[in-house]
Coordinates of all heavy atoms in Angstrom, one line a residue:
M1 N 47.1 -5.8 -19.5 CA 47.4 -6.5 -20.8 C 46.2 -6.6 -21.6 O 45.2 -7.2 -21.2 CB 48.1 -7.8 -20.4 CG 48.5 -8.6 -21.6 SD 49.1 -10.2 -20.9 CE 50.2 -10.6 -22.2
S2 N 46.2 -6.2 -22.9 CA 45.1 -6.3 -23.7 C 45.0 -7.7 -24.4 O 46.0 -8.3 -24.7 CB 45.1 -5.2 -24.8 OG 46.1 -5.4 -25.6
K3 N 43.8 -8.1 -24.6 CA 43.5 -9.4 -25.2 C 43.5 -9.2 -26.7 O 42.9 -8.4 -27.3 CB 42.2 -10.0 -24.8 CG 41.8 -11.3 -25.4 CD 40.5 -11.7 -24.8 CE 39.9 -12.8 -25.6 NZ 38.6 -13.2 -25.2
T4 N 44.3 -10.0 -27.5 CA 44.4 -9.9 -28.9 C 43.4 -10.9 -29.5 O 43.4 -12.1 -29.2 CB 45.8 -10.2 -29.4 OG1 46.7 -9.3 -28.8 CG2 45.9 -10.1 -30.9
N5 N 42.6 -10.4 -30.4 CA 41.6 -11.3 -31.1 C 42.4 -12.1 -32.1 O 42.9 -11.6 -33.0 CB 40.5 -10.4 -31.7 CG 39.4 -11.2 -32.4 OD1 39.5 -12.4 -32.5 ND2 38.3 -10.6 -32.7
P6 N 42.3 -13.5 -32.0 CA 43.1 -14.3 -32.9 C 42.5 -14.3 -34.3 O 43.1 -14.7 -35.3 CB 43.0 -15.7 -32.3 CG 41.8 -15.7 -31.4 CD 41.6 -14.2 -31.0
N7 N 41.2 -13.9 -34.5 CA 40.6 -13.9 -35.8 C 40.0 -12.5 -36.0 O 39.0 -12.2 -35.4 CB 39.5 -14.9 -35.9 CG 38.9 -15.1 -37.3 OD1 39.1 -14.2 -38.1 ND2 38.3 -16.2 -37.5
P8 N 40.7 -11.7 -36.8 CA 40.2 -10.3 -37.0 C 38.9 -10.2 -37.7 O 38.2 -9.2 -37.7 CB 41.3 -9.6 -37.8 CG 42.0 -10.8 -38.5 CD 41.9 -11.9 -37.6
D9 N 38.4 -11.3 -38.3 CA 37.1 -11.3 -39.0 C 35.9 -11.4 -38.0 O 34.8 -11.2 -38.4 CB 37.0 -12.5 -40.0 CG 38.0 -12.4 -41.1 OD1 38.3 -11.3 -41.5 OD2 38.4 -13.5 -41.6
I10 N 36.2 -11.7 -36.7 CA 35.2 -11.8 -35.7 C 35.0 -10.5 -35.0 O 35.9 -9.9 -34.5 CB 35.5 -12.9 -34.7 CG1 35.6 -14.3 -35.4 CG2 34.5 -12.9 -33.6 CD1 36.0 -15.4 -34.5
N11 N 33.8 -10.0 -35.0 CA 33.4 -8.7 -34.3 C 33.3 -9.1 -32.9 O 32.6 -10.0 -32.5 CB 32.1 -8.2 -34.9 CG 31.7 -6.9 -34.3 OD1 32.2 -6.5 -33.2 ND2 30.7 -6.2 -34.9
E12 N 34.0 -8.3 -32.0 CA 34.0 -8.6 -30.6 C 32.6 -8.6 -30.0 O 32.3 -9.3 -29.0 CB 34.9 -7.6 -29.8 CG 36.4 -7.9 -30.1 CD 37.3 -7.0 -29.2 OE1 36.8 -6.5 -28.2 OE2 38.4 -6.8 -29.6
E13 N 31.7 -7.8 -30.6 CA 30.3 -7.8 -30.1 C 29.6 -9.1 -30.4 O 28.6 -9.5 -29.7 CB 29.5 -6.6 -30.7 CG 30.0 -5.3 -30.3 CD 29.4 -4.2 -31.1 OE1 28.5 -4.5 -31.9 OE2 29.7 -3.0 -30.9
D14 N 30.1 -9.9 -31.4 CA 29.5 -11.2 -31.7 C 30.1 -12.3 -31.0 O 29.7 -13.5 -31.1 CB 29.6 -11.4 -33.2 CG 28.8 -10.4 -34.0 OD1 27.8 -9.9 -33.5 OD2 29.1 -10.2 -35.2
E15 N 31.1 -12.1 -30.2 CA 31.8 -13.1 -29.5 C 31.1 -13.4 -28.2 O 30.8 -12.6 -27.4 CB 33.3 -12.7 -29.2 CG 34.1 -13.9 -28.7 CD 35.6 -13.5 -28.7 OE1 36.0 -12.7 -29.4 OE2 36.3 -14.2 -27.9
Y16 N 31.0 -14.7 -27.9 CA 30.3 -15.2 -26.7 C 31.2 -16.0 -25.8 O 30.8 -16.7 -24.9 CB 29.1 -16.1 -27.1 CG 27.9 -15.2 -27.6 CD1 27.9 -14.8 -28.9 CD2 26.9 -14.9 -26.7 CE1 26.8 -14.1 -29.4 CE2 25.8 -14.1 -27.2 CZ 25.8 -13.7 -28.5 OH 24.8 -13.0 -28.9
G17 N 32.5 -15.8 -25.9 CA 33.4 -16.5 -25.1 C 34.0 -17.7 -25.8 O 34.0 -17.8 -27.0
T18 N 34.4 -18.7 -25.0 CA 35.1 -19.9 -25.6 C 34.3 -21.1 -25.2 O 33.5 -21.1 -24.3 CB 36.5 -20.0 -25.1 OG1 36.5 -20.2 -23.6 CG2 37.4 -18.8 -25.4
A19 N 34.6 -22.2 -25.9 CA 34.0 -23.5 -25.6 C 35.1 -24.5 -25.8 O 36.0 -24.4 -26.6 CB 32.8 -23.8 -26.6
Q20 N 35.0 -25.6 -25.0 CA 36.1 -26.6 -25.0 C 35.4 -27.9 -25.3 O 34.4 -28.3 -24.7 CB 36.7 -26.6 -23.6 CG 37.9 -27.6 -23.6 CD 38.6 -27.5 -22.2 OE1 38.3 -26.7 -21.4 NE2 39.6 -28.3 -22.0
L21 N 36.1 -28.6 -26.2 CA 35.7 -30.0 -26.6 C 36.0 -30.9 -25.4 O 37.1 -30.9 -24.9 CB 36.4 -30.4 -27.8 CG 35.9 -31.6 -28.6 CD1 34.5 -31.2 -29.2 CD2 36.9 -31.9 -29.8
N22 N 35.0 -31.7 -25.0 CA 35.3 -32.7 -23.9 C 35.8 -34.0 -24.4 O 35.9 -34.2 -25.7 CB 34.1 -32.8 -22.9 CG 33.0 -33.6 -23.5 OD1 33.1 -34.3 -24.5 ND2 31.9 -33.6 -22.8
H23 N 36.1 -34.9 -23.6 CA 36.7 -36.2 -23.9 C 35.8 -37.1 -24.8 O 36.2 -38.0 -25.5 CB 37.2 -37.0 -22.7 CG 36.1 -37.5 -21.9 ND1 35.3 -36.7 -21.0 CD2 35.5 -38.7 -21.8 CE1 34.4 -37.4 -20.4 NE2 34.5 -38.7 -20.8
R24 N 34.5 -36.8 -24.8 CA 33.5 -37.5 -25.6 C 33.2 -36.8 -26.9 O 32.3 -37.2 -27.6 CB 32.2 -37.7 -24.8 CG 32.5 -38.5 -23.5 CD 31.2 -38.8 -22.8 NE 30.4 -39.8 -23.5 CZ 29.3 -40.2 -23.2 NH1 28.7 -39.8 -22.1 NH2 28.6 -41.1 -23.9
G25 N 33.9 -35.7 -27.2 CA 33.7 -35.0 -28.4 C 32.6 -34.0 -28.4 O 32.1 -33.5 -29.4
R26 N 32.1 -33.7 -27.2 CA 30.9 -32.8 -27.1 C 31.4 -31.3 -26.9 O 32.4 -31.1 -26.2 CB 30.1 -33.2 -25.9 CG 29.4 -34.5 -26.2 CD 28.5 -34.9 -25.0 NE 27.8 -36.1 -25.3 CZ 27.2 -36.9 -24.5 NH1 27.1 -36.5 -23.2 NH2 26.6 -38.0 -24.8
L27 N 30.7 -30.4 -27.4 CA 31.0 -29.0 -27.3 C 29.8 -28.3 -26.8 O 28.7 -28.5 -27.3 CB 31.4 -28.5 -28.7 CG 31.8 -27.0 -28.8 CD1 33.2 -26.9 -28.3 CD2 31.8 -26.6 -30.3
T28 N 29.9 -27.5 -25.8 CA 28.8 -26.8 -25.2 C 28.7 -25.3 -25.8 O 29.7 -24.6 -25.7 CB 28.9 -26.7 -23.7 OG1 28.9 -28.0 -23.2 CG2 27.7 -25.9 -23.1
I29 N 27.6 -25.0 -26.4 CA 27.4 -23.6 -26.9 C 27.1 -22.7 -25.7 O 26.3 -23.1 -24.9 CB 26.3 -23.6 -27.9 CG1 26.6 -24.4 -29.1 CG2 26.0 -22.1 -28.3 CD1 25.5 -24.6 -30.1
P30 N 27.8 -21.6 -25.5 CA 27.6 -20.7 -24.3 C 26.1 -20.4 -24.2 O 25.4 -20.1 -25.1 CB 28.5 -19.5 -24.6 CG 29.6 -20.0 -25.5 CD 28.9 -21.1 -26.4
K31 N 25.7 -20.4 -22.9 CA 24.3 -20.1 -22.6 C 23.8 -18.8 -23.1 O 22.7 -18.7 -23.7 CB 24.1 -20.2 -21.1 CG 22.6 -20.0 -20.7 CD 22.3 -20.4 -19.3 CE 20.9 -20.1 -18.9 NZ 19.8 -20.0 -19.8
A32 N 24.6 -17.7 -23.1 CA 24.1 -16.4 -23.6 C 23.8 -16.5 -25.1 O 22.8 -15.9 -25.5 CB 25.2 -15.4 -23.3
L33 N 24.6 -17.3 -25.8 CA 24.3 -17.4 -27.3 C 23.1 -18.3 -27.5 O 22.2 -18.0 -28.3 CB 25.5 -18.0 -28.0 CG 25.4 -18.2 -29.5 CD1 25.0 -16.9 -30.2 CD2 26.6 -18.8 -30.0
R34 N 22.9 -19.4 -26.7 CA 21.7 -20.2 -26.8 C 20.5 -19.4 -26.5 O 19.5 -19.5 -27.2 CB 21.8 -21.4 -25.9 CG 22.9 -22.4 -26.2 CD 22.8 -23.7 -25.4 NE 22.4 -23.6 -24.0 CZ 23.3 -23.6 -23.0 NH1 24.6 -23.8 -23.2 NH2 22.8 -23.6 -21.8
D35 N 20.5 -18.5 -25.5 CA 19.4 -17.7 -25.2 C 19.1 -16.7 -26.3 O 17.9 -16.5 -26.7 CB 19.6 -17.0 -23.9 CG 19.6 -17.9 -22.7 OD1 19.2 -19.1 -22.8 OD2 20.1 -17.5 -21.6
D36 N 20.1 -16.0 -26.8 CA 20.0 -15.0 -27.9 C 19.4 -15.6 -29.1 O 18.6 -15.0 -29.8 CB 21.3 -14.3 -28.2 CG 21.7 -13.3 -27.2 OD1 20.9 -13.0 -26.2 OD2 22.8 -12.8 -27.3
L37 N 19.7 -16.9 -29.4 CA 19.2 -17.5 -30.7 C 18.1 -18.4 -30.5 O 17.6 -19.1 -31.4 CB 20.4 -18.3 -31.3 CG 21.5 -17.4 -31.8 CD1 22.6 -18.3 -32.4 CD2 21.1 -16.4 -32.9
N38 N 17.6 -18.5 -29.2 CA 16.4 -19.3 -28.9 C 16.7 -20.8 -29.2 O 15.9 -21.5 -29.8 CB 15.1 -18.9 -29.5 CG 14.7 -17.5 -29.0 OD1 14.8 -17.2 -27.8 ND2 14.3 -16.6 -29.9
L39 N 17.9 -21.3 -28.9 CA 18.3 -22.7 -29.2 C 17.8 -23.5 -28.1 O 18.0 -23.2 -26.9 CB 19.8 -22.8 -29.3 CG 20.5 -22.0 -30.4 CD1 22.0 -22.2 -30.4 CD2 19.9 -22.3 -31.8
E40 N 17.1 -24.6 -28.4 CA 16.5 -25.4 -27.4 C 17.1 -26.8 -27.5 O 17.8 -27.2 -28.5 CB 15.0 -25.5 -27.6 CG 14.3 -24.2 -27.4 CD 12.8 -24.3 -27.7 OE1 12.3 -25.3 -28.2 OE2 12.1 -23.3 -27.4
D41 N 16.9 -27.6 -26.5 CA 17.3 -29.0 -26.5 C 16.8 -29.7 -27.8 O 15.6 -29.6 -28.1 CB 16.8 -29.7 -25.3 CG 17.3 -31.2 -25.1 OD1 18.4 -31.4 -25.5 OD2 16.5 -32.0 -24.7
G42 N 17.7 -30.4 -28.5 CA 17.3 -31.1 -29.7 C 17.5 -30.3 -31.0 O 17.2 -30.9 -32.0
T43 N 17.9 -29.0 -30.9 CA 18.1 -28.3 -32.1 C 19.2 -29.0 -32.9 O 20.3 -29.3 -32.3 CB 18.6 -26.8 -31.7 OG1 17.5 -26.2 -31.0 CG2 18.8 -26.0 -33.0
E44 N 19.0 -29.1 -34.2 CA 20.0 -29.8 -35.0 C 20.8 -28.8 -35.8 O 20.3 -27.8 -36.2 CB 19.3 -30.8 -35.9 CG 18.7 -32.0 -35.2 CD 18.2 -33.1 -36.2 OE1 18.4 -32.9 -37.4 OE2 17.6 -34.0 -35.7
F45 N 22.1 -29.2 -36.1 CA 23.0 -28.3 -36.8 C 23.6 -29.1 -37.9 O 23.9 -30.3 -37.7 CB 24.1 -27.7 -35.9 CG 23.6 -26.8 -34.9 CD1 23.1 -27.2 -33.7 CD2 23.6 -25.4 -35.2 CE1 22.7 -26.3 -32.7 CE2 23.1 -24.5 -34.2 CZ 22.7 -25.0 -33.0
H46 N 23.9 -28.5 -39.0 CA 24.8 -29.1 -40.0 C 26.2 -28.6 -39.6 O 26.5 -27.5 -39.2 CB 24.5 -28.5 -41.4 CG 23.2 -28.9 -41.9 ND1 22.9 -30.1 -42.5 CD2 22.0 -28.2 -41.9 CE1 21.7 -30.1 -42.9 NE2 21.1 -29.0 -42.5
V47 N 27.2 -29.6 -39.6 CA 28.6 -29.3 -39.3 C 29.3 -29.2 -40.6 O 29.4 -30.1 -41.4 CB 29.2 -30.4 -38.4 CG1 30.6 -30.1 -38.0 CG2 28.3 -30.6 -37.1
I48 N 29.9 -28.0 -40.8 CA 30.6 -27.7 -42.1 C 32.0 -27.4 -41.9 O 32.3 -26.5 -41.0 CB 29.8 -26.6 -42.8 CG1 28.4 -27.0 -43.1 CG2 30.5 -26.2 -44.1 CD1 27.5 -25.9 -43.6
R49 N 32.9 -28.0 -42.6 CA 34.3 -27.6 -42.5 C 34.5 -26.5 -43.6 O 34.2 -26.7 -44.7 CB 35.2 -28.9 -42.9 CG 36.6 -28.5 -42.8 CD 37.5 -29.7 -43.1 NE 38.9 -29.3 -43.2 CZ 39.9 -30.2 -43.3 NH1 39.6 -31.5 -43.4 NH2 41.1 -29.7 -43.4
D50 N 35.1 -25.5 -43.1 CA 35.4 -24.3 -44.0 C 36.9 -24.0 -43.9 O 37.3 -23.2 -43.0 CB 34.6 -23.1 -43.5 CG 34.6 -21.9 -44.5 OD1 35.3 -22.0 -45.5 OD2 34.0 -20.9 -44.1
G51 N 37.7 -24.7 -44.6 CA 39.1 -24.6 -44.5 C 39.5 -25.2 -43.2 O 39.3 -26.4 -42.9
G52 N 40.2 -24.4 -42.4 CA 40.6 -24.9 -41.0 C 39.6 -24.5 -40.0 O 39.9 -24.7 -38.8
E53 N 38.4 -24.0 -40.3 CA 37.4 -23.7 -39.4 C 36.2 -24.6 -39.4 O 36.0 -25.3 -40.4 CB 37.0 -22.2 -39.6 CG 38.1 -21.2 -39.4 CD 37.6 -19.8 -39.6 OE1 36.7 -19.6 -40.4 OE2 38.2 -18.9 -39.0
I54 N 35.4 -24.6 -38.4 CA 34.2 -25.4 -38.3 C 33.0 -24.4 -38.2 O 33.1 -23.5 -37.4 CB 34.2 -26.3 -37.1 CG1 35.4 -27.3 -37.2 CG2 32.9 -27.1 -37.0 CD1 35.6 -28.1 -35.9
R55 N 32.0 -24.6 -39.0 CA 30.8 -23.8 -38.9 C 29.6 -24.7 -38.5 O 29.5 -25.8 -39.0 CB 30.5 -23.1 -40.2 CG 31.5 -22.1 -40.6 CD 31.1 -21.4 -41.9 NE 30.3 -22.2 -42.8 CZ 29.4 -21.7 -43.6 NH1 29.0 -20.5 -43.6 NH2 28.8 -22.6 -44.5
L56 N 28.8 -24.2 -37.6 CA 27.6 -24.9 -37.2 C 26.4 -24.1 -37.8 O 26.3 -22.9 -37.6 CB 27.4 -25.0 -35.7 CG 28.5 -25.7 -34.9 CD1 28.2 -25.6 -33.4 CD2 28.5 -27.2 -35.4
V57 N 25.6 -24.7 -38.7 CA 24.5 -24.1 -39.3 C 23.2 -24.8 -38.8 O 23.0 -26.0 -39.0 CB 24.6 -24.1 -40.9 CG1 23.4 -23.5 -41.5 CG2 25.9 -23.5 -41.3
R58 N 22.4 -24.0 -38.2 CA 21.1 -24.5 -37.6 C 20.2 -25.1 -38.7 O 20.0 -24.4 -39.8 CB 20.4 -23.4 -36.9 CG 19.1 -23.9 -36.2 CD 18.3 -22.9 -35.4 NE 18.8 -21.6 -35.4 CZ 18.3 -20.6 -34.7 NH1 17.3 -20.8 -33.9 NH2 18.8 -19.4 -34.8
S59 N 19.7 -26.3 -38.5 CA 18.7 -26.9 -39.4 C 17.4 -26.3 -39.1 O 16.9 -26.4 -38.0 CB 18.7 -28.4 -39.3 OG 20.0 -28.9 -39.5
L60 N 16.8 -25.7 -40.1 CA 15.4 -25.1 -39.9 C 14.4 -26.1 -40.3 O 14.6 -26.9 -41.3 CB 15.3 -23.8 -40.7 CG 16.3 -22.7 -40.3 CD1 16.1 -21.5 -41.2 CD2 16.0 -22.3 -38.8
P61 N 13.2 -26.1 -39.6 CA 12.2 -27.1 -40.0 C 11.6 -26.7 -41.4 O 11.7 -25.6 -41.8 CB 11.1 -26.9 -38.9 CG 11.4 -25.6 -38.3 CD 12.8 -25.3 -38.5
D62 N 11.1 -27.7 -42.1 CA 10.4 -27.5 -43.3 C 9.2 -26.7 -43.1 O 8.5 -26.8 -42.1 CB 10.0 -28.8 -44.0 CG 11.2 -29.7 -44.4 OD1 12.2 -29.1 -44.7 OD2 11.1 -30.9 -44.5
L63 N 8.9 -25.8 -44.1 CA 7.7 -25.0 -44.0 C 6.5 -25.8 -44.4 O 6.6 -26.7 -45.3 CB 7.8 -23.8 -45.0 CG 8.9 -22.8 -44.6 CD1 9.0 -21.7 -45.7 CD2 8.7 -22.2 -43.3
E64 N 5.4 -25.6 -43.7 CA 4.2 -26.3 -44.0 C 3.3 -25.4 -44.8 O 3.2 -24.2 -44.6 CB 3.5 -26.7 -42.7 CG 4.3 -27.7 -41.9 CD 3.5 -28.2 -40.7 OE1 2.3 -28.2 -40.7 OE2 4.2 -28.5 -39.7
T65 N 2.6 -26.0 -45.7 CA 1.6 -25.2 -46.6 C 0.2 -25.4 -45.9 O -0.2 -26.5 -45.7 CB 1.6 -25.7 -48.0 OG1 2.9 -25.6 -48.5 CG2 0.6 -25.0 -48.9
L66 N -0.4 -24.3 -45.7 CA -1.8 -24.4 -45.2 C -2.8 -24.1 -46.3 O -2.5 -23.3 -47.2 CB -2.0 -23.3 -44.1 CG -1.1 -23.4 -42.9 CD1 -1.3 -22.2 -42.0 CD2 -1.3 -24.7 -42.2
T67 N -3.8 -24.9 -46.3 CA -4.9 -24.7 -47.3 C -6.1 -24.2 -46.7 O -6.4 -24.5 -45.5 CB -5.1 -26.0 -48.1 OG1 -5.5 -27.0 -47.2 CG2 -3.8 -26.4 -48.8
R68 N -6.9 -23.5 -47.5 CA -8.2 -22.9 -47.0 C -9.3 -23.9 -47.2 O -10.3 -23.8 -46.6 CB -8.4 -21.6 -47.8 CG -9.7 -20.9 -47.4 CD -9.7 -19.6 -48.1 NE -11.0 -19.0 -48.0 CZ -11.8 -18.7 -49.0 NH1 -11.3 -18.8 -50.2 NH2 -13.0 -18.2 -48.8
G69 N -9.2 -24.8 -48.1 CA -10.3 -25.8 -48.4 C -11.0 -25.4 -49.7 O -11.4 -26.2 -50.5
D70 N -11.2 -24.1 -49.9 CA -11.8 -23.6 -51.2 C -10.7 -22.9 -52.0 O -9.6 -22.7 -51.5 CB -12.8 -22.5 -50.9 CG -14.1 -23.1 -50.1 OD1 -14.4 -24.2 -50.3 OD2 -14.7 -22.3 -49.3
E71 N -11.0 -22.7 -53.3 CA -10.0 -22.0 -54.1 C -9.9 -20.5 -53.6 O -10.8 -19.9 -53.1 CB -10.5 -21.9 -55.6 CG -10.5 -23.3 -56.2 CD -9.0 -23.8 -56.4 OE1 -8.2 -23.0 -56.8 OE2 -8.8 -25.0 -56.2
W72 N -8.7 -20.1 -53.7 CA -8.4 -18.7 -53.3 C -8.8 -17.8 -54.5 O -8.5 -18.1 -55.6 CB -6.9 -18.4 -53.1 CG -6.4 -19.1 -51.8 CD1 -5.8 -20.3 -51.7 CD2 -6.5 -18.6 -50.5 NE1 -5.5 -20.6 -50.4 CE2 -5.9 -19.6 -49.6 CE3 -7.1 -17.5 -49.9 CZ2 -5.9 -19.4 -48.3 CZ3 -7.0 -17.3 -48.6 CH2 -6.4 -18.3 -47.7
G73 N -9.5 -16.8 -54.2 CA -9.9 -15.8 -55.3 C -8.8 -14.8 -55.5 O -7.9 -14.6 -54.7
D74 N -8.9 -14.1 -56.6 CA -7.9 -13.0 -56.9 C -7.9 -11.9 -55.8 O -6.9 -11.3 -55.5 CB -8.2 -12.4 -58.3 CG -7.9 -13.3 -59.4 OD1 -7.1 -14.3 -59.2 OD2 -8.4 -13.1 -60.5
E75 N -9.1 -11.7 -55.2 CA -9.2 -10.7 -54.2 C -8.4 -11.0 -53.0 O -8.0 -10.1 -52.2 CB -10.7 -10.4 -53.9 CG -11.4 -11.6 -53.1 CD -11.9 -12.7 -54.1 OE1 -11.8 -12.6 -55.3 OE2 -12.4 -13.7 -53.5
A76 N -8.2 -12.3 -52.7 CA -7.4 -12.7 -51.5 C -6.0 -12.1 -51.6 O -5.5 -11.6 -50.6 CB -7.4 -14.2 -51.4
F77 N -5.4 -12.2 -52.8 CA -4.0 -11.7 -52.9 C -4.0 -10.2 -53.0 O -3.1 -9.6 -52.4 CB -3.4 -12.3 -54.2 CG -3.3 -13.8 -54.1 CD1 -4.1 -14.6 -54.7 CD2 -2.3 -14.3 -53.3 CE1 -4.0 -16.0 -54.6 CE2 -2.1 -15.7 -53.2 CZ -3.0 -16.5 -53.8
R78 N -5.0 -9.6 -53.6 CA -5.1 -8.1 -53.6 C -5.3 -7.6 -52.2 O -4.6 -6.7 -51.7 CB -6.3 -7.7 -54.5 CG -6.4 -6.2 -54.6 CD -7.7 -5.7 -55.2 NE -8.8 -5.9 -54.2 CZ -9.9 -6.6 -54.4 NH1 -10.2 -7.0 -55.6 NH2 -10.8 -6.7 -53.5
D79 N -6.2 -8.2 -51.4 CA -6.4 -7.8 -50.0 C -5.2 -8.0 -49.2 O -4.9 -7.2 -48.3 CB -7.6 -8.6 -49.4 CG -8.9 -8.2 -50.1 OD1 -9.0 -7.2 -50.8 OD2 -9.9 -8.9 -49.9
A80 N -4.5 -9.1 -49.4 CA -3.3 -9.4 -48.6 C -2.2 -8.3 -48.9 O -1.5 -7.8 -48.0 CB -2.7 -10.7 -49.0
G81 N -2.1 -7.9 -50.2 CA -1.2 -6.8 -50.6 C -1.6 -5.5 -50.0 O -0.7 -4.8 -49.5
D82 N -2.9 -5.2 -50.0 CA -3.3 -3.9 -49.4 C -3.0 -3.9 -47.9 O -2.6 -2.9 -47.4 CB -4.8 -3.8 -49.7 CG -5.1 -3.4 -51.1 OD1 -4.2 -3.1 -51.9 OD2 -6.3 -3.5 -51.5
A83 N -3.3 -5.1 -47.3 CA -3.1 -5.1 -45.8 C -1.6 -5.0 -45.5 O -1.2 -4.4 -44.5 CB -3.6 -6.5 -45.3
T84 N -0.7 -5.5 -46.4 CA 0.7 -5.5 -46.1 C 1.3 -4.1 -46.5 O 2.1 -3.6 -45.7 CB 1.4 -6.6 -46.9 OG1 0.8 -7.8 -46.5 CG2 2.9 -6.6 -46.6
F85 N 1.0 -3.6 -47.7 CA 1.6 -2.5 -48.2 C 0.7 -1.2 -48.2 O 1.2 -0.2 -48.6 CB 2.1 -2.7 -49.6 CG 3.1 -3.9 -49.7 CD1 2.7 -5.1 -50.3 CD2 4.3 -3.8 -49.2 CE1 3.5 -6.2 -50.3 CE2 5.2 -4.9 -49.2 CZ 4.8 -6.1 -49.8
G86 N -0.5 -1.3 -47.8 CA -1.4 -0.2 -47.8 C -2.1 -0.1 -49.1 O -1.7 -0.6 -50.1
G87 N -3.3 0.4 -49.1 CA -4.2 0.5 -50.3 C -3.6 1.6 -51.2 O -2.8 2.4 -50.9
T88 N -3.9 1.4 -52.5 CA -3.4 2.3 -53.5 C -4.5 3.2 -54.0 O -5.7 3.0 -53.9 CB -2.8 1.6 -54.7 OG1 -3.8 0.7 -55.3 CG2 -1.6 0.9 -54.3

């Protein structure tokens, strides 16, 4: 007997099985998915209602700005571009 995918928008390669809500309202993300996405203890998610579906969107940490201490010269950006894209 073949298993019918209840949501045709989900690619079977992206499916990691099922999860069940427990009596305390907790949901466990399957280990294979946690490993693939490098989710660790304490990872925070935004919980979003999308019609009749629930989406979990990982909260990413704020980016930090690093400073050099001195003013950056024009050559720093030119050199960074050359290093990234090759010299012209």
Side-chain angles (χ1 to χ4, degrees):
M1 180 183 208
S2 66
K3 179 179 166 186
T4 304
N5 186 348
N7 187 342
D9 295 331
I10 298 174
N11 182 345
E12 287 185 23
E13 294 174 2
D14 294 334
E15 189 172 335
Y16 284 83
T18 61
Q20 184 174 357
L21 197 65
N22 74 13
H23 71 283
R24 296 184 75 184
R26 294 182 178 167
L27 183 73
T28 301
I29 298 172
K31 182 165 178 21
L33 180 56
R34 293 192 321 259
D35 290 346
D36 284 354
L37 295 177
N38 297 315
L39 301 177
E40 298 175 349
D41 184 38
T43 301
E44 291 187 8
F45 293 87
H46 295 276
V47 181
I48 301 169
R49 180 179 175 175
D50 188 3
E53 296 182 332
I54 299 169
R55 293 185 326 146
L56 299 176
V57 179
R58 182 179 3 186
S59 300
L60 297 176
D62 292 332
L63 297 177
E64 293 182 29
T65 302
L66 301 177
T67 59
R68 181 171 165 239
D70 294 330
E71 289 293 320
W72 291 97
D74 291 338
E75 68 278 357
F77 296 102
R78 183 193 70 233
D79 293 345
D82 289 348
T84 303
F85 302 108
T88 55

